[in-house]
């Protein structure tokens, strides 16, 4: 292994790599990080973590996971590296592995963002109860509105519609992103629909549709709400629109339920066949709904035995309890009534009304059952007449059924022909679209490559020019410049050079130079003065001299510059203006120690200190004050050039720049 780099150089290189990583300059960041890893310079897990982040930023998930795991081999049990591996697995949709890995971590050690990702993985595995617990913990820990939205979705999946609806209302009323508000509105509509409030649910979806926020997967739910709310025309329009895209098995189930509501059971069975062909492990949560819907369609067709078997399969699922409501009992009641078992029918309808006293179909079924039972008692005296009437009715029904079957068969054949033609046309259009997309992607990739090369060349030139100017401006003082101050100056000068090629406003660049100046004032005067006082044990003397008034334990200082040094009153550091003012007032008695510090550390002519103070005050008034008061900074490039010249090259004619002047002392 190569010799270890000096720690200060390794830290500087690591900070440079993190900066490049933040700017998505992955190649340069990777070179630095690999060099640090090869020298084993820091001996901390941050280096393999950052190297993995480089690969993650490029979408190289396997490489990212390898980097994190290599870090774990050196730092076993590191929670941050372990969590990063889990995040990579989630990005790769490897949810089982992610859950197994992240489940080993202590929950109390995971932040709200990691808990949210963990909960998301559990939800994707349809482990909703566990997911709900994790999301609730993330929200309690301060997770954002996205996590609260996921928690609401999971509670809706668990059938806790009232809780989910209340969370959606809270999200809609809070200060959350527009995307989350729109998602909350859609889920609230779903919860209202599941609670039997079709009209309010439809109203919410109409608002989303008008605002262009309605998602394709919501069309089926909106169609079902429209049918229940008495808008069949809108329902048909929504079904047609959804069928024109890629309807899911759940959409087909909804369309089948709508067909049953319209007394079109044949259409319902066709939709169910398509839905059943598409269902898999992901749709196991509503298999019982498929069976219940099939049972109703078969009952409407008179296929009673098959209907009873389907309803029995539906009631055999534990998930069906509480989710289907009175529907199963209503269908069982109709089956019993049609078979002449009015006593069982009456029990089923009464059971449905116990679940929902306002269920209209159960009420009508119970009333008709009681009428039929009375009618049967009256007809017992004339069995022959009863049989003849039933036979006549049966013959009429059979004739109507046969005629309808013939019409339906012809329509089915025509529909199959149309579907085949449509499939051929769609396949041809799809191939043409794929070829066009491939050509466009190739052209875009080539253009992107050329643009990237040009930008990289320009960035290299900008970096070189910025470094050259900073080194020229600081001169010999470069060696004594603190790294954070040098970094701030490099960022400002690099942005200035970049602005020569772009439309970047001068004010934006000037703010960066002002920031470098502010960091210099804090580093060279505030921090060094504090160290000077501590080294001489005179901090208490300075604070006592700077005290304007003292009432009990409450102390009032002459200015915030002095107050910032009081260890009992941690607050904001002195501003640019406050540092400039004490430079101007350095002769005042309460600043005698500050004057001694200046005389010892910065033996400059008093005139130059006054010039420096005036320069700082001008920068404050032109740049910091507008920002502090919410006003736009107004500065042109001519004024920016003067600011840059005085800060970096010549504070005044014949003198170095302000930074070089102070650093060179």
């Amino acid at each position: 292994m190569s010799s270890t780099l000096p720690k200060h150089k390794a830290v500087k290189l690591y900070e440079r790599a993190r900066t490049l990583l933040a700017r998505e300059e992955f190649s340069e960041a990777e070179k630095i990080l690999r060099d640090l890893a090869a020298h084993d310079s820091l001996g901390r897990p941050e280096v393999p973590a950052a190297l993995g982040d480089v690969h993650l930023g490029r979408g190289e998930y396997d490489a990212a996971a390898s980097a994190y795991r290599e870090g774990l081999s050196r730092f076993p049990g590191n929670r941050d590296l372990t969590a990063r591996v889990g995040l990579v697995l989630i990005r790769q949709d490897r949810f089982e592995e992610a859950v197994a890995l992240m489940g080993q971590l202590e929950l109390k050690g995971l932040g709200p963002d990691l808990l949210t990702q963990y909960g998301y993985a559990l939800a994707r595995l349809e482990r909703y109860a566990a997911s709900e617990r994790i999301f609730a913990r993330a929200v309690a820990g301060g997770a954002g509105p996205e996590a609260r939205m996921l928690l609401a979705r999971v509670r809706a999946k668990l059938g806790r519609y009232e809780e989910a609806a209340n969370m959606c209302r809270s999200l809609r009323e809070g200060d959350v992103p527009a995307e989350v508000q729109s998602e909350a509105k859609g889920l609230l509509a779903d919860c209202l629909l599941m609670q039997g409030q079709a009209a309010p649910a439809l109203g919410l979806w109409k608002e989303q549709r008008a605002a262009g926020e309605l998602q394709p997967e919501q069309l089926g739910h909106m169609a079902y709400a429209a049918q229940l709310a008495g808008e069949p025309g809108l329902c048909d329009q929504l079904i047609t629109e959804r069928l024109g895209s890629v309807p899911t098995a759940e959409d087909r189930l909804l369309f089948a339920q709508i067909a049953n509501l319209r007394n079109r059971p044949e259409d319902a069975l066709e939709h169910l066949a398509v839905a059943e062909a598409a269902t898999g492990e992901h749709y196991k949560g509503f298999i019982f709904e498929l069976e219940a819907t099939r049972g109703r369609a078969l009952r409407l067709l008179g296929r009673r035995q098959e209907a009873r078997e389907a309803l029995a399969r539906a009631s055999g699922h534990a998930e069906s309890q509480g989710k289907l409501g009175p529907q199963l009992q209503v269908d069982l009641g109709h089956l019993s009534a049609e078979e002449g078992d009015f006593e069982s029918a009456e029990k089923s309808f009464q059971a449905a009304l116990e679940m929902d006293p306002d269920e209209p179909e159960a009420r009508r079924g119970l009333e008709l059952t009681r009428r039929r039972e009375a009618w049967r008692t009256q007809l017992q005296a004339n069995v022959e007449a009863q049989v003849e009437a039933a036979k006549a009715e049966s013959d009429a029904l059979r004739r109507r059924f046969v005629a309808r079957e013939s019409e339906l068969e012809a329509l089915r054949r025509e529909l199959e022909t149309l579907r085949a033609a449509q499939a051929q046309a769609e396949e041809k259009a799809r191939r043409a679209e794929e070829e066009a997309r491939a050509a466009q992607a190739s052209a875009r990739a080539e253009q992107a490559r050329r643009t990237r090369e040009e930008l990289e060349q320009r960035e290299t030139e900008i970096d070189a020019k910025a470094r050259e100017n900073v080194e020229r401006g600081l001169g010999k003082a470069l060696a004594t410049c603190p790294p954070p101050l040098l970094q701030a100056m490099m960022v400002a000068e690099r942005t200035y050079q970049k602005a020569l090629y772009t439309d970047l406003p001068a004010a934006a660049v000037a703010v960066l130079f002002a920031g470098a100046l502010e960091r210099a004032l804090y580093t060279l005067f505030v921090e060094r003065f504090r160290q000077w006082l501590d080294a001489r044990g005179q901090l208490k003397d300075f604070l006592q001299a700077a005290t304007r008034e003292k009432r009990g334990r409450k102390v009032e200082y002459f200015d915030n510059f002095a107050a910032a040094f009081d260890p009992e009153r941690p607050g904001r550091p002195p501003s640019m203006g406050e540092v400039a003012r004490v430079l101007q007032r350095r002769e005042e008695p309460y600043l005698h120690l500050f004057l001694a510090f200046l005389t010892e550390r910065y033996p400059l002519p008093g005139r130059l200190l006054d010039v420096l103070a005036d320069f700082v005050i001008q920068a404050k008034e032109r740049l910091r004050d507008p920002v502090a008061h919410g006003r736009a900074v107004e500065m042109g490039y001519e004024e920016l050039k003067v600011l840059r010249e005085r800060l970096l090259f010549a504070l005044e004619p014949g003198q170095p720049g302000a930074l070089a002047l102070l650093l060179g002392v």
Side-chain angles (χ1 to χ4, degrees), residues 553-566:
R553 299 185 63 181
K554 185 175 182 181
V555 181
E556 181 180 344
Y557 294 98
F558 283 105
D559 51 38
N560 188 61
F561 179 85
F565 288 84
D566 188 345

Side-chain angles (χ1 to χ4, degrees), residues 203 404 429 507 598:
R404 190 172 183 183
L598 292 176

Side-chain angles (χ1 to χ4, degrees), residues 109-124:
L110 297 181
D113 291 337
L114 284 175
L115 285 171
T116 300
Q117 293 292 328
Y118 184 25
Y120 171 74
L122 288 167
R124 289 297 302 271

